[in-house]
Amino acid sequence: MNTGKQAQIAPVAVASDLQLADLRAALAAGWNDFRAYPAFGLFFAAIYVSAGMFIYFALFVRGEIAWLVPAAAGFPLLAPFVAVGLYEVSRRREAGLPMSWRAILGALRGRGDEQILSMGVILFVAFGFWIMIAHGIFAIFLAESGTGSESMAFFATRAGIMMLVVGSIVGAIMALAFYAITVASLPMLVDRNVDFITAIIVSLASVRSNTFVLLAWAVLIAVTLFIAMLPLFLGLLVVLPVLGHATWHLYRRLTGAPATEDQENAEAALA
């Protein structure tokens, strides 16, 4: 159990002494989880990769560049929800529990209280909101450039470059906001019997108490996912499971020992 500085948030003590070494340890543990149970990681990653390929080819074939760019940029927003099954794999491996597809897939339902599904709805709404904002930014600069929406030459114009700059800044702000509310909340909803509001509060407190390290983690995730998406999303087949498992171990470092049965019963009474 972590013996460093902690802040009490609801029923959870959040560590405030995260170090960069903890990120390396989480990645190593995530890699070990993936190697131990690769089928689960490849399954969830394949769903994500298939969805990415479908969006890419559907929009590219239709020449809908105005939708393709924001869709590709915002697609990683959905990664935390896809990783819920990976959190359950890591949780069960850590606790020495048996693995089964029924148990792993059942994690997507949460603890029967739809809290994880509520978080999923938030993420999908966020993705849709980002698409609308990004498309609006694209339309503004496209009108200024005078080029067609089907022309890749637009991105070489002054307006196209400015669009990418403005879109990147707006996208980074939105991505950071949703990263802050999900980095610890989704693993917590898999691990503990809490409502999603409490989980979000804990996630925000974790970022506030460990700003530098968790921002470094956010940058690492963003850069790694971007690189993994370049070869037709295929790099995500390995990167996504490792990052998903690693996020679980980072959550565990933040919150200490797993909830016991007594703790879970107490938390259920508070919910």
Side-chain angles (χ1 to χ4, degrees):
M1 178 182 295
N2 172 44
T3 58
K5 294 172 60 180
Q6 292 183 329
Q8 190 69 27
I9 308 296
V12 181
V14 177
S16 55
D17 60 345
L18 213 61
Q19 304 293 325
L20 291 177
D22 293 312
L23 302 186
R24 292 192 293 270
L27 284 170
W31 172 247
N32 288 335
D33 285 352
F34 176 58
R35 287 199 308 167
Y37 296 98
F40 296 112
L42 291 173
F43 172 77
F44 289 108
I47 294 175
Y48 191 74
V49 170
S50 298
M53 285 184 173
F54 174 79
I55 293 174
Y56 175 80
F57 286 110
L59 295 178
F60 189 80
V61 168
R62 295 175 59 184
E64 295 287 349
I65 299 176
W67 294 106
L68 178 60
V69 174
F75 196 55
L77 287 176
L78 305 178
F81 185 69
V82 177
V84 166
L86 302 173
Y87 302 151
E88 178 65 8
V89 171
S90 292
R91 186 188 76 85
R92 298 182 77 85
R93 183 174 184 233
E94 179 181 291
L97 298 174
M99 299 287 180
S100 71
W101 284 103
R102 180 176 182 180
I104 303 304
L105 294 176
L108 298 174
R109 299 194 307 269
R111 296 175 177 267
D113 52 9
E114 299 184 350
Q115 298 299 317
I116 289 180
L117 292 180
S118 297
M119 284 294 297
V121 170
I122 291 174
L123 291 177
F124 278 98
V125 169
F127 180 69
F129 185 57
W130 157 249
I131 291 294
M132 290 187 291
I133 290 179
H135 187 60
I137 294 173
F138 188 95
I140 291 171
F141 286 97
L142 182 66
E144 179 183 332
S145 73
T147 61
S149 63
E150 298 181 0
S151 175
M152 291 296 291
F154 166 66
F155 296 101
T157 66
R158 179 179 178 275
I161 294 172
M162 287 301 298
M163 184 275 294
L164 291 174
V165 172
V166 173
S168 297
I169 293 173
V170 174
I173 293 173
M174 290 188 62
L176 181 60
F178 287 98
Y179 165 79
I181 70 173
T182 59
V183 64
S185 62
L186 282 170
M188 175 168 288
L189 290 173
V190 172
D191 185 38
R192 297 171 181 262
N193 192 1
V194 298
D195 62 272
F196 75 93
I197 298 298
T198 297
I200 288 175
I201 291 172
V202 171
S203 190
L204 291 172
S206 298
V207 175
R208 185 175 64 250
S209 300
N210 304 275
T211 304
F212 174 74
V213 176
L214 288 183
L215 282 181
W217 182 240
V219 171
L220 178 63
I221 290 175
V223 172
T224 306
L225 288 179
F226 176 76
I227 294 173
M229 288 170 63
L230 292 180
L232 288 177
F233 297 89
L234 295 177
L236 294 173
L237 290 172
V238 174
V239 169
L240 184 63
V242 172
L243 289 177
H245 291 306
T247 298
W248 166 265
H249 291 284
L250 199 59
Y251 153 76
R252 289 283 291 106
R253 168 64 175 83
L254 283 165
T255 59
T260 64
E261 184 175 349
D262 290 340
Q263 286 175 314
E264 291 179 353
N265 292 336
E267 290 165 7
L270 291 173

